[in-house]
Amino acid sequence: MSINTLGVTALLLASASPLLQASEQSESAGFIEGSKLSVKARNMYMQRDNRASGARQNYGEEWAQGFIGTFQSGFTQGTVGVGIDLIGQYAFKLDTGDGRTGGGTGLLEQDSHGAKQDMSKAGAVLKMRASNTVLKYGTQVMAVPVLATSDSRLLPETVDGFSLTSKEIRNLQLDAGHFTGLTNRNQSSRDSGHMTAVDYLGGVYTFNERLSSSLYYAKTAEHFRKYYVNTRYLLPLGTGQSLKFDFNAYDTQSIGQARSGDLDNRIWSLGGTWTLGAHAFTLAYQKVSGTGDYVYGPDGNAVYNFANSVQYSDFDYENEKSWQARYDLNMAAYGVPGLSFMTRYVKGTDFKSGTGGDLNGNAWERDVEVRYVVQAGVAKDLSFRVRQASYRSSERGGQIDEVRVITEYPLNIF
């Protein structure tokens, strides 16, 4: 880069300085001083009953205990800070067997004899920070819209590769990454998910405290490319009242060898939530168009962005249209802080009922959830959650009744 170019760049940065964030690295506390160590104990019981005739396995039931330990160092001081992150996971079986293991529960690692007695896995990250930009390499838990690891069972998934997060410009977060390995949530061997390389680039811009938008691009080698767009808007309506709107859309198209099939798929959803004191009422609509179902690939949990991605189904079959009605209640307003309740109903129609099938598929799902979080004392932040789902479709997806009971206790050691 020439001296003249450097001078012009410096001038532009100086003129844009009101838009730049103060440097986080300049305020680094140090490698040890900024460190955090925590352990999350998670106990989970899951039962799934598939009532559809001809199901591969009609009943699954597993109960297990898991521990997720994370260490996050601070960054060394100086212009470029260096640090490490560590994650260790361990789980052991409490009860299953006699034909009950598997069946979609997916809590425990399997071998030729069924569920293993226990499993463990670990990973490390080397990280560097300059100003407000952080580069990481290693085993990571991700939550970007085009690459999100699943944490919906006992232990979370992890991916291996590079990630870059930059917050140099006020209100703008830029993300980029290159990942080549995926370790499934119930498997201990590295890259058990046989991940094909994924590259992504995108960002989130927050216009103000009410409005934000996101745009991302991702490519899964020899499979497909994806675009993602999101807009969220919050409209205050007065004391204890608000309206929140959330729009999400993905566009997926096969590339290269098209190993995921001939895809030209779009899915979008729009949800609106009216909050009135302790009550929240949500209505949402979701639509799939183009060729093929929505395909997850290694970005499995990215589906959490869809309005109608619920406990069992994601309502994302080819051509599927779905509506949701949901109600949430926060019992703090009635003298029971920490206790909450949720129920929802989703109806899907007009989806392709299978390979070569007609567009006449119909399905519905009903979910109920109760959660309590201890508010004070020795057991502060201990949470109990019961989730029940019923899904019915005569054309595709099965006839499912499912129960999950989850207890979590996060312990911050330092």
Side-chain angles (χ1 to χ4, degrees):
M1 186 178 288
S2 68
I3 298 297
N4 288 337
T5 304
L6 283 171
V8 171
T9 302
L11 180 61
L12 289 172
L13 288 174
S15 64
S17 59
L19 300 178
L20 301 181
Q21 294 273 56
S23 171
E24 293 180 354
Q25 178 56 25
S26 65
E27 301 174 357
S28 176
F31 185 92
I32 298 299
E33 293 80 359
S35 296
K36 300 177 182 178
L37 176 63
S38 63
V39 176
K40 179 185 289 185
R42 176 182 292 164
N43 185 285
M44 188 168 184
Y45 168 83
M46 184 170 172
Q47 176 201 89
R48 179 175 288 179
D49 186 3
N50 189 344
R51 301 172 182 271
S53 60
R56 184 182 303 175
Q57 182 174 338
N58 290 103
Y59 187 75
E61 184 179 35
E62 294 182 329
W63 181 28
Q65 174 68 50
F67 297 93
I68 307 158
T70 57
F71 171 78
Q72 296 175 300
S73 79
F75 289 91
T76 58
Q77 296 177 330
T79 303
V80 177
V82 178
I84 60 171
D85 293 342
L86 305 174
I87 182 170
Q89 304 182 61
Y90 175 72
F92 60 89
K93 179 176 67 175
L94 294 174
D95 182 53
T96 188
D98 300 324
R100 294 175 293 146
T101 190
T105 49
L107 301 190
L108 298 162
E109 188 169 22
Q110 307 285 313
D111 60 19
S112 58
H113 302 290
K116 291 184 176 181
Q117 291 296 323
D118 61 359
M119 62 175 288
S120 61
K121 48 187 175 178
V125 168
L126 174 65
K127 58 186 181 181
M128 294 184 292
R129 182 172 68 184
S131 186
N132 298 310
T133 299
V134 177
L135 174 66
K136 295 182 179 181
Y137 171 70
T139 300
Q140 303 177 53
V141 174
M142 297 299 298
V144 295
V146 287
L147 182 64
T149 49
S150 172
D151 193 19
S152 62
R153 294 295 195 274
L154 191 65
L155 302 177
E157 289 178 338
T158 57
V159 285
D160 295 307
F162 290 91
S163 70
L164 180 74
T165 301
S166 180
K167 300 178 181 178
E168 300 296 341
I169 300 175
R170 186 172 301 152
N171 300 328
L172 176 64
Q173 175 177 313
L174 296 175
D175 297 302
H178 172 74
F179 287 88
T180 57
L182 167 68
T183 302
N184 291 326
R185 57 198 178 194
N186 64 336
Q187 293 177 319
S188 57
S189 58
R190 190 169 298 277
D191 195 28
S192 56
H194 306 293
M195 184 177 186
T196 304
V198 175
D199 298 282
Y200 68 84
L201 176 66
V204 183
Y205 187 76
T206 303
F207 295 92
N208 51 50
E209 61 184 10
R210 300 182 186 178
L211 177 65
S212 67
S213 288
S214 304
L215 180 64
Y216 284 82
Y217 166 83
K219 182 179 76 171
T220 302
E222 300 179 356
H223 282 268
F224 46 75
R225 66 97 183 109
K226 284 187 181 182
Y227 291 107
Y228 167 79
V229 63
N230 162 263
T231 297
R232 293 189 174 108
Y233 180 67
L234 177 66
L235 177 64
L237 298 176
T239 304
Q241 286 196 63
S242 67
L243 273 176
K244 182 176 69 175
F245 299 96
D246 192 359
F247 173 80
N248 294 276
Y250 286 87
D251 181 284
T252 306
Q253 193 167 57
S254 54
I255 59 173
Q257 298 181 24
R259 287 164 55 187
S260 295
D262 183 17
L263 297 173
D264 187 9
N265 175 277
R266 286 157 297 284
I267 182 170
W268 64 268
S269 68
L270 177 63
T273 300
W274 174 37
T275 299
L276 177 63
H279 312 275
F281 306 89
T282 299
L283 291 175
Y285 178 71
Q286 181 172 300
K287 183 177 180 180
V288 183
S289 60
T291 304
D293 304 338
Y294 175 79
V295 175
Y296 305 106
D299 57 340
N301 208 38
V303 72
Y304 73 87
N305 292 289
F306 301 163
N308 292 346
S309 171
V310 290
Q311 181 169 328
Y312 175 74
S313 179
D314 298 320
F315 292 88
D316 55 3
Y317 292 140
E318 183 174 338
N319 202 60
E320 187 163 15
K321 306 171 185 67
S322 56
W323 287 92
Q324 177 187 165
R326 169 173 171 160
Y327 171 69
D328 290 81
L329 174 63
N330 185 342
M331 292 295 293
Y334 298 96
V336 192
L339 181 63
S340 60
F341 169 82
M342 182 278 296
T343 186
R344 63 189 162 208
Y345 179 82
V346 185
K347 175 69 174 179
T349 61
D350 302 331
F351 58 81
K352 194 171 184 179
S353 56
T355 303
D358 297 324
L359 298 175
N360 59 359
N362 286 271
W364 61 262
E365 179 170 338
R366 180 187 63 243
D367 299 334
V368 179
E369 179 177 317
V370 179
R371 185 169 186 258
Y372 178 70
V373 181
V374 177
Q375 301 294 292
V378 176
K380 187 178 185 297
D381 296 327
L382 173 65
S383 67
F384 305 90
R385 182 161 57 150
V386 179
R387 308 181 70 193
Q388 193 279 331
S390 294
Y391 175 87
R392 296 290 184 273
S393 175
S394 58
E395 289 84 16
R396 196 175 178 190
Q399 300 179 39
I400 304 293
D401 287 309
E402 179 184 284
V403 175
R404 306 182 192 187
V405 181
I406 307 161
T407 302
E408 288 187 344
Y409 183 58
L411 177 62
N412 297 317
I413 299 173
F414 59 78

